[in-house]
Each structure stands twice: as structure tokens, then as C-alpha cells.
């Protein structure tokens, strides 16, 4: 199991999914071959792992078996994303890359060589009152997205309010094909210069993991004030790619991250043990 939990050595930790035992640290910090000089974002897509370095606008793609070796291969596929404005996560789709933009539009679309093609600016209807650039910059950071492993589409979830969206690419443009609203964000915009998320704003989805069959996500439903005290999600919601809820799990002890192994029929979560220490938990599907 790969956990995005930076330590003094690197950004990703490998854990034994059955015991939770630490195995090694990956994406070692440094400037040598196979090392990374700054913060990274990663995505697992099919049998590959993509590492994005925002400070370099660089994507390095590894086959999973190569990534899990003691040292990273120097044969990674590398793509430089055209630098327009800051980008956060970058995901691969069939013939394209999509980034979660830091400022400006909500998503940026690039071709397979990294050249910018188009933008996507629309937010869900729940955020129709968000008009200032200041608030839009804050709102962009409250969405998380992952591609379907076959790279035909991608899912997006919201942290402020509970919203699921599904997108595909048509004619070099990002196209929203589904929007499901599950929790009103309860936004109260008093000033264009203020903070968008208030104490009584509602916290929806957070963790996200996708397979070709389902979308797995963690869910809270608490107010921001309540969530700050608890710092964990309470539920796992499983959607199909038509946006229908297929399963719902209540996680005793809460969770901060999740992944799934459908072949084994198990969902793995990062939770707390009886002493309040981080631990790996297993839920049978």
C-alpha cells in the first residue's frame, strides 16, 4: 500500500497492506538520479504510477513493478507540462493530461506531449454564488479527482459540500457528463476578500480511489467546526460510474485515507487503533 505521508527521507511510504508495517520510503528528496527536489503528487492508474513535480511541471511515469524496486528506474517516461499557471494534481487520460489548476480555470487540458489545449471553468450549481477570483482559487483546492483506470473519463469529488462529478474528453475539450449533489456546502459569502469555508460550512467527500467498476470515496457530513475536532471521515461511499450509490460503510474509529482491492474483496483504510495511533484497517466488501 502506498501512503502519501512525507517524512524526512521522502514523500511516499510503502506499507504492508495486511499488517500496516512500514517497508520503505519512495520519492527520496534530493537532486541526484531518481530523486525529487520538492513536493510531489502521485496517481496510480492501471499498472502505472505517475509522479508530478509542481515546481518543475514534470510528470514521470513508472510501471508499478519498477516503482516498487529498491531504487527508481532511470527509464521513466517524462513529460513536461506547458507552464501557464501553477498546477496541482495531473492525471493521464487517453491521449491527454488534465491538471487541477492553481489559479484561473478549474482544470487545464494538455495533449500527450504536454502542450496546453483548453481550459474548463464551470463549477457545480451549489457554488453559483462564488464569483470572486479569491474564492475561486480557494474552491479549486477543495476538489479531488482521479481517472478511471481505462483512462476514458475521470471522477471529481468536493470537500466543501458533497458533490460527485464525472468528466470525459470530447473534441479536445473537457466535458462534464454527470453531476450528483449529496450535501449543500452551506456557503455564506459575506466578503469577496474573506475565507470561503466557515465554521458552519459542511464537509462532504475527501479520500478518493477508482477502479474500472467503482468509485470509492470517504465522507463526513459534519460541519467544519465539528470536523476540525474529529479530523477523520466516518463513512465510505461506493459509486458506480453512473453516479449511483452501490454500497455504504460506517467506519468505526474513522478514516483518513482509503484504497481497495476488488480481487480480494477488501477495502483498506488508514484509521486509529485503540490507543489513538495510526493503523491500517480492513473492511470486507
Amino acid at each position: 500500500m502506498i501512503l502519501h505521508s512525507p517524512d524526512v527521507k521522502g514523500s511516499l511510504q510503502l506499507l504492508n497492506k495486511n499488517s500496516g508495517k512500514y517497508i520503505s520510503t519512495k520519492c527520496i528528496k534530493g537532486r541526484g538520479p531518481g530523486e525529487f527536489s520538492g513536493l510531489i503528487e502521485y496517481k496510480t492508474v492501471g499498472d502505472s504510477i505517475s509522479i508530478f513535480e509542481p515546481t518543475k511541471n514534470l510528470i514521470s511515469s513508472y510501471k508499478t513493478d519498477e516503482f516498487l524496486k529498491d531504487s527508481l528506474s532511470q527509464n521513466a517516461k517524462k513529460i513536461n507540462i506547458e507552464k501557464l499557471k501553477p498546477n496541482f494534481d495531473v492525471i493521464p487520460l487517453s491521449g491527454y493530461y488534465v491538471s487541477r489548476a492553481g489559479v484561473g480555470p478549474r482544470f487545464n487540458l494538455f495533449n500527450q506531449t504536454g502542450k496546453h489545449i483548453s481550459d474548463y471553468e464551470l463549477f457545480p450549481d451549489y457554488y453559483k454564488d462564488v464569483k470572486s477570483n479569491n474564492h475561486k482559487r480557494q474552491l479549486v483546492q477543495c476538489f479531488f479527482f482521479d481517472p478511471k483506470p481505462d483512462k476514458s473519463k475521470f471522477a471529481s469529488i468536493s470537500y466543501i459540500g458533497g458533490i460527485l462529478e464525472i468528466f470525459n474528453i470530447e473534441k479536445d475539450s473537457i466535458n462534464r457528463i454527470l453531476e450528483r449533489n449529496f450535501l449543500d456546502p452551506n456557503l455564506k459569502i459575506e466578503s469577496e476578500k474573506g475565507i470561503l469555508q466557515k465554521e458552519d460550512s459542511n464537509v462532504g467527500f475527501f479520500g478518493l480511489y477508482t477502479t474500472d467498476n467503482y468509485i470509492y470515496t470517504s465522507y463526513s457530513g459534519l460541519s467544519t467546526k465539528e470536523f476540525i475536532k474529529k479530523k477523520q471521515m466516518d463513512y465510505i461511499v461506493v459509486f458506480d460510474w453512473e453516479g449511483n450509490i452501490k454500497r455504504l460503510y460506517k467506519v468505526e474509529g474513522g478514516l483518513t485515507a482509503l484504497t481497495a482491492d476488488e480481487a480480494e474483496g477488501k477495502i483498506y483504510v488508514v484509521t486509529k487503533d485503540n490507543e489513538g495511533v495510526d493503523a491500517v484497517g480492513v473492511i470486507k466488501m
Side-chain angles (χ1 to χ4, degrees):
M1 185 165 67
I2 302 173
L3 184 64
H4 194 178
S5 180
D7 59 19
V8 294
K9 293 173 57 181
S11 298
L12 303 179
Q13 296 184 23
L14 297 186
L15 307 178
N16 182 296
K17 66 181 181 182
N18 295 311
S19 67
K21 183 179 179 181
Y22 168 84
I23 299 173
S24 65
T25 297
K26 307 296 290 185
C27 294
I28 301 300
K29 298 175 184 177
R31 295 190 174 143
E35 296 179 335
F36 297 83
S37 60
L39 295 175
I40 61 98
E41 300 288 347
Y42 87 101
K43 296 291 182 185
T44 56
V45 184
D47 63 349
S48 298
I49 295 176
S50 292
I51 307 294
F52 176 60
E53 299 176 79
T55 57
K56 297 181 178 179
N57 269 22
L58 178 67
I59 300 172
S60 301
S61 297
Y62 301 87
K63 290 296 183 181
T64 303
D65 57 351
E66 293 180 350
F67 182 83
L68 297 177
K69 292 179 180 178
D70 291 339
S71 59
L72 286 182
S73 168
Q74 299 304 300
N75 298 322
K77 177 183 177 182
K78 295 183 180 291
I79 298 291
N80 278 105
I81 296 297
E82 186 176 355
K83 186 174 182 179
L84 301 172
K85 295 178 180 178
N87 293 297
F88 291 115
D89 303 339
V90 176
I91 59 173
L93 292 177
S94 294
Y96 300 94
Y97 292 95
V98 177
S99 78
R100 186 165 58 94
V103 295
R106 183 178 171 191
F107 298 123
N108 290 319
L109 181 66
F110 305 86
N111 67 14
Q112 59 187 344
T113 66
K115 181 176 175 56
H116 178 258
I117 300 174
S118 61
D119 301 325
Y120 184 89
E121 299 189 4
L122 299 179
F123 288 97
D125 290 341
Y126 268 153
Y127 308 109
K128 61 185 178 183
D129 294 329
V130 177
K131 301 188 185 320
S132 73
N133 288 332
N134 171 47
H135 285 161
K136 287 182 179 179
R137 283 194 293 269
Q138 295 177 47
L139 190 57
V140 163
Q141 299 180 45
C142 296
F143 288 89
F144 307 93
F145 67 163
D146 261 347
K148 190 176 181 180
D150 68 5
K151 300 182 183 180
S152 63
K153 59 188 71 173
F154 67 94
S156 171
I157 55 171
S158 63
Y159 172 75
I160 301 182
I163 300 169
L164 169 70
E165 299 168 277
I166 296 176
F167 299 83
N168 66 4
I169 309 297
E170 293 182 351
K171 298 179 180 179
D172 289 346
S173 296
I174 298 172
N175 176 51
R176 182 167 60 196
I177 56 178
L178 180 144
E179 178 183 333
R180 294 279 190 272
N181 300 318
F182 297 95
L183 179 68
D184 191 315
N186 192 30
L187 298 179
K188 297 177 181 178
I189 300 175
E190 300 170 352
S191 168
E192 291 186 353
K193 298 181 180 180
I195 297 174
L196 187 62
Q197 185 177 11
K198 304 294 197 311
E199 284 191 340
D200 54 356
S201 298
N202 292 322
V203 176
F205 300 112
F206 189 72
L208 179 63
Y209 182 79
T210 59
T211 69
D212 281 325
N213 298 312
Y214 298 109
I215 300 164
Y216 298 80
T217 181
S218 56
Y219 178 82
S220 173
L222 297 176
S223 69
T224 298
K225 183 178 181 179
E226 294 169 326
F227 181 75
I228 288 174
K229 293 179 180 178
K230 188 162 189 177
K231 299 179 181 178
Q232 289 185 303
M233 313 303 274
D234 290 311
Y235 301 92
I236 295 172
V237 185
V238 183
F239 298 95
D240 62 20
W241 282 93
E242 283 70 51
N244 303 305
I245 296 177
K246 306 305 290 185
R247 293 190 294 274
L248 177 67
Y249 302 91
K250 177 73 165 64
V251 181
E252 298 301 330
L255 72 153
T256 56
L258 81 164
T259 188
D261 189 327
E262 292 177 345
E264 293 186 356
K266 295 177 181 179
I267 300 173
Y268 296 88
V269 302
V270 177
T271 184
K272 299 286 186 182
D273 63 17
N274 294 332
E275 298 180 354
V277 178
D278 285 344
V280 173
V282 181
I283 299 170
K284 292 185 178 180
M285 297 181 185

